[in-house]
Amino acid sequence: MSDELFESVDALLAAVSTALPAPAERKRLRLAAGLTPAQIAAALRVGSALVTQWEDGSAVPGPEVAPAYGRLLEGLAARFPAPDEPAAPAPVPGAGQPVGSTGTPAAPAVGQQAPAAPAPVPSVGQQAGTAPQPVMLDQHPDGSLVMADAAPCVQCGQPSVYRAQGRPMHLGGFCRPVAQAPAAQAPTPVVEAEKQAVPAPAADVQDDSAASVAATSASPTPVAAPPSAAAAAARTGQRPVRAQGRPAAPRTAGPASGAGPTAGRWVPVVALDAVDGGGWVLDVPGFPAPAGTKLADWFAWLGTGLPLRVERAHPLGRGGDGAVCLTAAALKQLGLPAALPSTDKALNTLRAKLAKAAAAVGMEISENVGPVFRAFRRAGSAGGPKTSLQVTVAPWLGQGDARQQAVSALAAPLATAPDGSRDGQTFARRYRAFAADLGVAPGATTASTAMLLLDAVRPRVEWVRDEATGEWSSHLREGALPAGDRCVPVAAGARHPLTRQLLSEGGAVCEEEDYKWWARELTRDEAGRAFAVAVDVCASYLSVTDSLPLPVGELEHVERPTWGKGRTAGLWLCDFTAVEVDELLPHPATFHGRPPTGPGWYATPTVAYMATTYGFDPATIAEAYLSTHTAPLLKEWTGRVRTGYKRVYADLGLIDGQGPEEFLTAYAAHQDTGDDPARADALTLARLYKNIYKGGIGKWADSARHLDDETWLEKTAASWTYRPEIRFHIIAAARIAAHRRLRKTYLLTGRAPFAVNVDSYLYATDRPSPLELLPVKDDGSPVPGALRLGIAPGSHKHEASIPLRAAAEAMARREHPSRLTHDHATDGTRIGPEQADDDTAGAGHDAQGGDS
């Protein structure tokens, strides 16, 4: 073994036998010294994954490194003897005693006699006489803290569910004994992990601050220790991934929205509130509170390994960093401004203040401070384990410059209470429900969140271990969408140079879009009716994306392609000009609803429908761009969004299987939330989920108008999320599904819409109700595949009823009658703009926007 290697080990021992201790003892010694696997790996010139494997027994140190590793463990054992061994007398502070990251004497190691009368540690709200004593708590191989039955802390005697070297210790060593309040004063409320009640069922947990601060003597529910990372990897043969891209052990499912860390291993977010007198209030039962009211205390709390994390949605996927939300009262208690500074000078001063407090405990903050920023500690930094958390400041949401507001665009509606204020506890409650429904944390925008969800449920990368070196590396999974500009000229998107060049040469491009502003003259029978009833498709894209074959692979140009019954996703050059279609319906193959005037490029769903329904001959197709790999890319994504969509609407009284009259009544009242926070939360989340699936479809052809052309090509067109041909297939499938329903309804009832815009259809009716349009079976049940009322994706809702005379007059002025849906209620009366239903805005939406 080289002198350099031994010198490195000696240096490591200074900072903190060839016969090696048992694997469990190796880990105990490392944790007792407050060292990370990365620090030991750096000293021994090996990978950090090997150190973890040595400690869980899945690997044995090789002969070239075992002597140095043994030397390290021997030195650690001398300083940190096992619990059943006598301990050396504790040295006097200042006489060579090791110190913690804050400069105070370190806590006694396992095996040492705890002081008979430990120095009192100030409780929350008290002035600290000395700094707290940070201790490296026991961790699982994936970095999470070990939790067990509550037992008296070795420093303060109060119950703790955490362990340091196997003995009960408070989080980070910040002990919080019961405050001795003066007799003339009421005791200061202190919320601690050890003094919270056992969590109530998720359905009963709302934003009840009184329930949050009620302290009882009940100890938290113990959590079973998870299997080691190596054991899990051995069972699955695969390596899971952390949010930072590093391997990690699998985690159990997260708790329900109201449950605390005692009900599961992780929660995605917690709201930190404050009360008069210096006490902290957290909205998750059983969650530890900061040890003090200073900024440094708060950052120390953030860096102690809090059980905050968004669970991964796929075994090979990535989890997400947890979040802490500050309320207005918490801001005041921490000495932070109630509003985000509006000048650069004041903002820089604020950031310097935060950065200084963070640095005192080994933490850092993101470069830009705004309503949403990050607090983190790098691996190997002093003060505690590697950690990363998102900080959301509820009162600051909606403030700041355009960049700051863009980063927090999705957080603002989550935090907006029914009275319009930005409330931290409302944000945390909705955030937990969001993460439970979709399996990811909210991103900056709905469109970017849609792509985060897709990568979470269908990961693009997987980890593979090199058997020779033991190191792990990542690569694209089979069928994953690669990065890089993959556009072909006929489907490159409106902003791409390939499209502009092709159009300048007189070529045709793919124009698969939703129906836009189609209308026809009223028939004699329709003109004699009284109303124009508008019905709107619910979640039209979700009704087709579940099993839709999409072009996942590269598009290759093919001459005289073989149709193969449409099993291959791609774009086909077809001529539909001679194909006869239904005259009273919009043309199925064009977004404008009029017959095409020549050959054009169409996605597979359009060609398949024209072939099976109207007799188009695929043998006449001259050329195509066909995908090398076709797969239902959005199956898992659709399942997540659709499940969340149905759950929130069920909370609003709209469920599958309702009869037409029952549905119409429930839908008319679903936005009346009253004082019910559960209904208000459900309505907010319903709007977000709808915008997520719409924005996600638009993201595939994101024009990102805020970027210049060069930046757009570099950052947007070259991203794996830019695939216009995928969007063309989804839009085509949704438009074809709509036409199929319109056609079947027309064949059964003889009723056809006289105007269509996107997924809103106007029918002439005798009464201001869609009930007379519904085809039913002999038993009164709805006909599958035809017009039906309901909240399920692909069903319809009643949007508005317009006097037919007003609709006819609008068409005479060459205006589209669907514009009138915003001005009329479902009973046919005219309403003002402030009364318009939010859902009627869907009549004019365009799904192409993406993040623009």
Side-chain angles (χ1 to χ4, degrees):
M1 184 55 57
S2 67
D3 293 339
E4 180 185 1
L5 196 57
F6 283 116
E7 290 172 0
S8 177
V9 171
D10 289 337
L12 187 60
L13 286 171
V16 259
S17 96
T18 57
L20 299 178
E25 175 67 4
R26 302 170 196 171
K27 178 184 175 183
R28 186 196 70 79
L29 291 172
R30 175 178 62 79
L31 293 175
L35 298 173
T36 66
Q39 289 175 297
I40 294 179
L44 298 176
R45 310 293 196 269
V46 297
S48 58
L50 282 177
V51 176
T52 301
Q53 292 165 10
W54 294 342
E55 292 179 353
D56 61 31
S58 62
V60 177
E64 73 285 353
V65 75
Y69 188 40
R71 182 184 180 91
L72 169 65
L73 296 175
E74 182 181 359
L76 295 177
R79 298 189 179 207
F80 306 98
D84 55 351
E85 296 179 10
V92 178
Q97 180 180 1
V99 296
S101 62
T102 58
T104 59
V110 174
Q112 293 179 336
Q113 188 67 31
V121 180
S123 63
V124 178
Q126 292 180 309
Q127 182 65 32
T130 58
Q133 300 179 357
V135 175
M136 178 64 71
L137 297 183
D138 295 350
Q139 302 177 29
H140 294 296
D142 64 355
S144 61
L145 295 179
V146 172
M147 298 173 66
D149 293 329
C153 172
V154 297
Q155 291 196 140
C156 70
Q158 297 300 315
S160 176
V161 295
Y162 300 98
R163 297 294 183 267
Q165 305 165 38
R167 303 180 69 184
M169 189 82 66
H170 276 110
L171 196 64
F174 297 131
C175 296
R176 297 177 297 280
V178 177
Q180 300 299 323
Q185 293 181 341
T188 300
V190 180
V191 179
E192 303 174 10
E194 306 77 33
K195 305 180 75 175
Q196 288 285 1
V198 175
D204 298 328
V205 178
Q206 299 298 336
D207 187 18
D208 189 344
S209 299
S212 298
V213 291
T216 72
S217 59
S219 60
T221 305
V223 179
S228 68
R235 287 196 306 270
T236 63
Q238 296 169 321
R239 187 75 162 183
V241 183
R242 280 189 188 272
Q244 298 88 351
R246 296 176 59 189
R251 295 187 170 91
T252 58
S257 62
T262 56
R265 289 192 56 198
W266 304 98
V267 291
V269 66
V270 65
L272 181 65
D273 200 4
V275 294
D276 295 338
W280 290 114
V281 180
L282 295 107
D283 70 333
V284 176
F287 211 90
T293 59
K294 296 181 179 180
L295 269 178
D297 299 325
W298 178 60
F299 276 111
W301 174 69
L302 294 178
T304 52
L306 298 174
L308 288 170
R309 189 165 181 80
V310 178
E311 294 293 339
R312 63 170 59 99
H314 187 281
L316 296 182
R318 301 177 178 180
D321 291 341
V324 172
C325 185
L326 296 178
T327 65
L331 278 181
K332 182 179 180 180
Q333 185 150 283
L334 292 172
L336 297 175
L340 186 67
S342 57
T343 65
D344 290 342
K345 181 179 180 180
L347 194 61
N348 290 336
T349 301
L350 172 62
R351 190 193 183 283
K353 178 179 180 179
L354 290 168
K356 181 179 179 180
V361 292
M363 297 280 287
E364 302 176 55
I365 60 173
S366 51
E367 185 65 29
N368 296 303
V369 172
V372 177
F373 63 94
R374 306 200 76 79
F376 58 94
R377 181 187 287 118
R378 302 178 191 274
S381 297
K386 176 181 178 180
T387 188
S388 176
L389 292 170
Q390 174 183 292
V391 178
T392 300
V393 185
W396 294 355
L397 290 169
Q399 302 176 15
D401 56 25
R403 188 204 61 79
Q404 291 169 326
Q405 293 193 41
V407 171
S408 60
L410 198 54
L414 286 173
T416 303
D419 63 0
S421 64
R422 310 290 195 191
D423 178 61
Q425 294 179 345
T426 297
F427 171 85
R429 188 175 63 246
R430 293 173 179 173
Y431 191 111
R432 287 191 289 269
F434 185 105
D437 285 340
L438 301 191
V440 294
T445 66
T446 52
S448 61
T449 301
M451 292 306 170
L452 290 174
L453 174 59
L454 178 58
D455 196 29
V457 299
R458 194 183 179 97
R460 296 175 59 246
V461 301
E462 63 181 350
W463 289 81
V464 176
R465 182 180 181 183
D466 188 320
E467 296 298 337
T469 64
E471 295 295 329
W472 294 86
S473 61
S474 63
H475 65 85
L476 283 178
R477 298 175 66 206
E478 182 180 357
L481 298 175
D485 192 337
R486 309 283 167 167
C487 292
V488 296
V490 300
R495 191 172 182 181
H496 203 285
L498 288 175
T499 302
R500 293 199 292 266
Q501 179 180 352
L502 184 60
L503 292 176
S504 68
E505 296 171 353
V509 297
C510 184
E511 295 182 303
E512 296 279 20
E513 300 293 344
D514 291 301
Y515 283 125
K516 302 290 173 62
W517 312 113
W518 174 85
R520 59 169 174 79
E521 292 185 2
L522 294 169
T523 64
R524 184 185 299 274
D525 178 66
E526 291 170 338
R529 301 185 187 274
F531 291 94
V533 166
V535 292
D536 183 77
V537 183
C538 297
S540 59
Y541 300 143
L542 290 184
S543 69
V544 300
T545 52
D546 181 40
S547 56
L548 178 65
L550 291 171
V552 176
E554 303 272 354
L555 291 181
E556 295 183 347
H557 185 256
V558 180
E559 299 281 353
R560 310 302 301 179
T562 301
W563 172 239
K565 297 184 179 180
R567 287 186 291 267
T568 302
L571 304 171
W572 312 75
L573 184 60
C574 304
D575 188 352
F576 296 141
T577 55
V579 179
E580 294 185 3
V581 297
D582 302 281
E583 293 183 358
L584 294 183
L585 298 177
H587 196 284
T590 62
F591 70 89
H592 46 69
R594 301 185 298 274
T597 58
W601 290 94
Y602 301 93
T604 299
T606 299
V607 182
Y609 185 64
M610 294 298 293
T612 57
T613 305
Y614 294 104
F616 170 73
D617 184 5
T620 61
I621 300 175
E623 56 181 311
Y625 283 92
L626 303 183
S627 175
T628 57
H629 180 56
T630 299
L633 177 68
L634 299 181
K635 184 175 182 62
E636 299 84 0
W637 180 89
T638 303
R640 286 279 184 167
V641 179
R642 188 169 54 193
T643 298
Y645 166 92
K646 288 186 175 182
R647 185 196 66 78
V648 294
Y649 272 114
D651 287 348
L652 295 170
L654 299 166
I655 59 176
D656 287 346
Q658 289 175 314
E661 294 87 351
E662 182 186 5
F663 170 76
L664 291 175
T665 301
Y667 190 81
H670 84 282
Q671 294 196 70
D672 299 331
T673 60
D675 297 327
D676 187 351
R679 287 181 62 86
D681 292 353
L683 186 60
T684 298
L685 293 174
R687 291 167 177 164
L688 287 180
Y689 295 166
K690 287 163 63 177
N691 288 332
I692 283 173
Y693 71 72
K694 290 180 181 179
I697 304 308
K699 183 70 173 174
W700 293 115
D702 186 6
S703 60
R705 298 182 183 93
H706 61 285
L707 300 177
D708 59 71
D709 289 349
E710 183 177 350
T711 305
W712 179 84
L713 282 172
E714 177 184 353
K715 294 187 175 181
T716 301
S719 169
W720 69 269
T721 63
Y722 188 78
R723 295 288 295 269
E725 67 273 20
I726 290 180
R727 178 184 173 276
F728 285 146
H729 277 70
I730 298 169
I731 297 293
R735 192 190 66 247
I736 291 302
H739 192 279
R740 183 180 286 110
R741 288 189 292 266
L742 296 178
R743 184 172 187 268
K744 188 165 187 177
T745 301
Y746 171 60
L747 295 177
L748 291 172
T749 66
R751 310 287 283 272
F754 66 86
V756 175
N757 184 44
V758 191
D759 48 17
S760 178
Y761 318 134
L762 270 69
Y763 283 85
T765 61
D766 295 319
R767 299 182 304 277
S769 170
L771 293 178
E772 65 186 80
L773 302 173
L774 306 179
V776 295
K777 299 179 182 178
D778 294 338
D779 60 1
S781 61
V783 177
L787 188 70
R788 63 182 299 174
L789 296 177
I791 199 61
S795 296
H796 301 73
K797 58 182 180 288
H798 187 190
E799 191 176 5
S801 295
I802 308 164
L804 187 62
R805 181 177 179 181
E809 290 174 351
M811 289 193 291
R813 296 192 303 268
R814 303 186 68 82
E815 297 177 1
H816 198 273
S818 68
R819 296 183 184 276
L820 299 175
T821 59
H822 304 286
D823 304 326
H824 292 82
T826 53
D827 61 359
T829 59
R830 188 173 179 83
I831 60 176
E834 69 280 357
Q835 298 173 279
D837 188 329
D838 288 349
D839 289 327
T840 62
H845 85 275
D846 186 343
Q848 300 180 67
D851 270 332
S852 61

